[in-house]
Amino acid sequence: MHSFTEENYLKAIYKLMENDGPEVSTNAIAAHMNTRAATVTDMIKKLSAKKLVHYTPYQGVSLSTTGKKAALSIIRKHRLWEFFLVEKLGFRWDEVHDMAEQMEHIQSPELVERLDEYLGFPKHDPHGDPIPDAKGRLPETEAALLLSAQKGKKYKMSGVIDHHVLFLKHLDEIGLKPGCIIYVDQITSYDLSLQIRINGGKPLFISHQIARNILITSSR
């Protein structure tokens, strides 16, 4: 069993490794955790002593096999609870992150498996992020950025990269949600903004910044 703080570090390192490569710096972890580099170094030494991470001073940190398994277990719980809060309790997708942050630390494998079964074994959370299964395996995905879309084609929105509350609220305001169909009518060469239609509705312009944070898959 790991402490809440240890679990938060393991999850943070996993996410940084996803984005930055097989090894991450203590400074990157400190920025992600909003804490001091010295505090990170102390925790990394503790995690290394428990064989949860591989750590070489001045080079970087990576998760061990055991550490990765633990991180995926935490992420699994977090995303299942987010799904539960949105689909069963009616919370908005911009409301559930902090609640799931608390619930992800519940230490009951039986509860997690019953929750998964109760929810129908969902593959993705409300933001489109893949939910690891009980063995830590992630469902396959072919998602790409809306920024890479081609004019005249349609796509299915599969998720978001930016999980900040203001961004999610903005998407709600314009009607962009995972599962909707996006028709790409125009791409402006000047600023790479897009004119789209959501589910065949009225034309709408979205910025380059929005498009680079929307995940899509092909829609047949």
Side-chain angles (χ1 to χ4, degrees), residues 14 18 72 75-80 122-133 137-141 143 158-160 163 215:
Y14 179 87
E18 272 191 316
L72 284 166
I75 290 168
R76 168 173 164 79
K77 288 185 284 184
H78 182 100
R79 294 176 180 174
L80 282 172
K123 301 296 184 185
H124 296 84
D125 74 7
H127 308 101
D129 291 321
I131 300 175
D133 66 14
R137 296 173 301 199
L138 290 164
E140 293 184 7
T141 180
S158 60
V160 295
H163 289 193
L215 292 169

Side-chain angles (χ1 to χ4, degrees), residues 101-162:
E101 285 275 298
Q102 301 173 54
M103 300 165 81
E104 71 187 25
H105 298 293
I106 294 174
Q107 300 293 334
S108 174
E110 182 180 0
L111 172 60
V112 176
E113 298 319 309
R114 289 199 181 191
L115 176 65
D116 192 20
E117 182 179 5
Y118 171 67
L119 296 174
F121 306 103
K123 301 296 184 185
H124 296 84
D125 74 7
H127 308 101
D129 291 321
I131 300 175
D133 66 14
K135 295 183 178 180
R137 296 173 301 199
L138 290 164
E140 293 184 7
T141 180
E142 298 178 356
L145 296 178
L146 178 55
L147 199 61
S148 67
Q150 297 179 22
K151 175 183 173 181
K153 294 193 174 182
K154 65 178 182 177
Y155 303 89
K156 183 177 181 179
M157 180 176 167
S158 60
V160 295
I161 292 177
D162 187 347

